[in-house]
């Protein structure tokens, strides 16, 4: 897609005002009580799978700001206690982006001014608005499995036809209110080749997937990368999925998940749709939260 094509999507795919001028939830409004109840009723085996990486405390090319973990209580003090300091955004920590995370032309989702994100936190669209959690149907799209490879190469794009090929292969159609999890095999690639600079190369969704996500009314998007393919191949729009999905569509993103175990369990169960529960920390005015999404099959 050209730069003009992608920038035009800001208007074409906009959900601004769809759920009211003061809306703070965006596409999560697609997760109705009926959607949640149906997802809960789909549980069969009861197997649970974490979709989170361990908090990354070791510096690396893909983790320049590691989590700081300090012990403030040990056998010496007579109790166990610790202290964590986390900068959740980036390419290492499993986290959910709040809708205040990305600006476009001086605005955030629903037309709120970028200035509402202040030195004291976000006065609009903070992550604390998700305090009741997200419980909906999750759908795993395993792109390497569809393409017959172990992992996508860094920088390799995923197109709408890949998403539809996965639907055909699994018999699951993505529908309104779903949480879509896209596996690229990032961590498998890292195991085999070592860490690399993700800002330069990362497998992910091509900008052409944006209308598909909007048409299917996806409520939550996650990936083992950052959803965006890097480089984006779109001049002047380095992260079109983040920019258009978050700002225009009001779509929360789950970044840096670990979907390898989930892929194995889904294969064992022969099921690629499941109950997904996501419980962000209640961080008042925060722009993100570390998170441990749980899939229940």
């Amino acid at each position: 897609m050209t730069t003009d094509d992608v920038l035009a999507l800001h208007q074409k795919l906009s959900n601004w005002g769809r759920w009211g001028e003061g809306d703070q939830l965006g596409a999560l409004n697609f997760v109705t009580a009926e959607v949640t109840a149906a997802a809960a009723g789909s549980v069969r085996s009861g197997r649970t799978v974490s979709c989170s990486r361990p908090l990354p405390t070791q510096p690396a090319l893909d983790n320049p700001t590691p989590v700081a973990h300090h012990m403030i209580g040990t056998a010496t003090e007579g109790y166990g206690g610790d202290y964590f300091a986390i900068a959740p955004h980036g390419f290492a920590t499993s986290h959910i982006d709040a809708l205040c995370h990305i600006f476009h032309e001086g605005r955030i989702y629903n037309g709120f001014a970028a200035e509402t994100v202040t030195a004291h936190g976000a006065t609009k669209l903070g992550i604390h608005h998700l305090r009741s959690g997200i419980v909906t149907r999750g759908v795993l799209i395993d792109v390497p499995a569809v393409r017959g490879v172990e992992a996508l190469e860094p920088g390799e794009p995923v197109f709408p036809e890949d998403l539809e090929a996965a639907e055909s292969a699994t018999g699951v159609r993505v529908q309104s209110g779903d949480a879509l999890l896209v596996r690229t095999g990032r961590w498998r690639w890292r195991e085999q080749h070592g860490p690399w600079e993700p800002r330069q190369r990362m497998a992910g969704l091509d900008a052409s997937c944006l209308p598909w996500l909007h048409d299917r009314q996806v409520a939550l998007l996650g990936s083992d990368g950052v959803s965006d393919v890097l480089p984006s191949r779109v001049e002047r729009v380095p992260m079109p999925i983040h920019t258009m999905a978050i700002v225009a569509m009001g779509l929360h993103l789950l970044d840096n998940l670990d979907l390898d175990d989930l892929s194995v369990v889904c294969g064992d169960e022969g099921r690629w749709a499941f109950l997904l529960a996501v419980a962000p920390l209640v961080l008042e005015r925060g722009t993100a939260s570390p998170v441990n999404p749980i899939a229940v099959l």
Side-chain angles (χ1 to χ4, degrees), residues 74-158:
T74 67
T76 302
E77 290 76 27
Y79 69 97
D82 41 23
Y83 171 91
F84 288 91
I86 304 170
H89 294 296
F91 296 86
T93 299
S94 299
H95 69 273
I96 184 169
D97 289 331
L99 296 183
C100 58
H101 173 45
I102 298 293
F103 306 163
H104 179 65
E105 297 179 343
R107 298 286 169 178
I108 55 179
Y109 168 69
N110 220 20
F112 297 120
E115 286 76 16
T116 59
V117 182
T118 74
H120 301 286
T123 62
K124 299 291 184 182
L125 305 175
I127 200 65
H128 62 279
H129 290 290
L130 275 58
R131 67 191 317 130
S132 295
I134 306 164
V135 183
T136 190
R137 188 178 82 147
V139 175
L140 177 65
I141 286 186
D142 191 339
V143 182
V146 172
R147 294 188 182 177
V149 297
E150 285 194 55
L152 302 187
E153 294 187 14
E156 193 170 351
V158 175

Side-chain angles (χ1 to χ4, degrees), residues 42-214:
S42 71
V43 173
R44 297 179 189 172
S45 69
R47 295 177 71 178
T48 61
V49 186
S50 167
C51 298
S52 177
R53 300 282 293 174
L55 287 176
T57 58
Q58 298 301 313
L61 283 173
D62 51 2
N63 187 28
T65 55
V67 173
H69 180 198
H70 303 294
M71 296 305 298
I72 58 175
T74 67
T76 302
E77 290 76 27
Y79 69 97
D82 41 23
Y83 171 91
F84 288 91
I86 304 170
H89 294 296
F91 296 86
T93 299
S94 299
H95 69 273
I96 184 169
D97 289 331
L99 296 183
C100 58
H101 173 45
I102 298 293
F103 306 163
H104 179 65
E105 297 179 343
R107 298 286 169 178
I108 55 179
Y109 168 69
N110 220 20
F112 297 120
E115 286 76 16
T116 59
V117 182
T118 74
H120 301 286
T123 62
K124 299 291 184 182
L125 305 175
I127 200 65
H128 62 279
H129 290 290
L130 275 58
R131 67 191 317 130
S132 295
I134 306 164
V135 183
T136 190
R137 188 178 82 147
V139 175
L140 177 65
I141 286 186
D142 191 339
V143 182
V146 172
R147 294 188 182 177
V149 297
E150 285 194 55
L152 302 187
E153 294 187 14
E156 193 170 351
V158 175
F159 298 102
E161 48 265 38
D162 293 305
L163 306 180
E164 294 181 354
E167 287 183 317
S168 297
T170 61
V172 177
R173 179 178 173 84
V174 176
Q175 62 192 28
S176 179
D178 281 348
L180 178 63
L181 306 182
V182 181
R183 179 177 178 269
T184 68
R186 172 191 177 182
W187 305 111
R188 182 67 53 81
W189 184 275
R190 193 181 191 274
E191 287 174 3
Q192 295 174 344
H193 303 277
W196 69 95
E197 172 50 75
R199 292 174 180 78
Q200 298 178 3
R201 296 180 302 136
M202 179 73 79
L205 299 180
D206 183 74
S208 59
C209 292
L210 284 162
W212 192 94
L213 297 170
H214 185 265

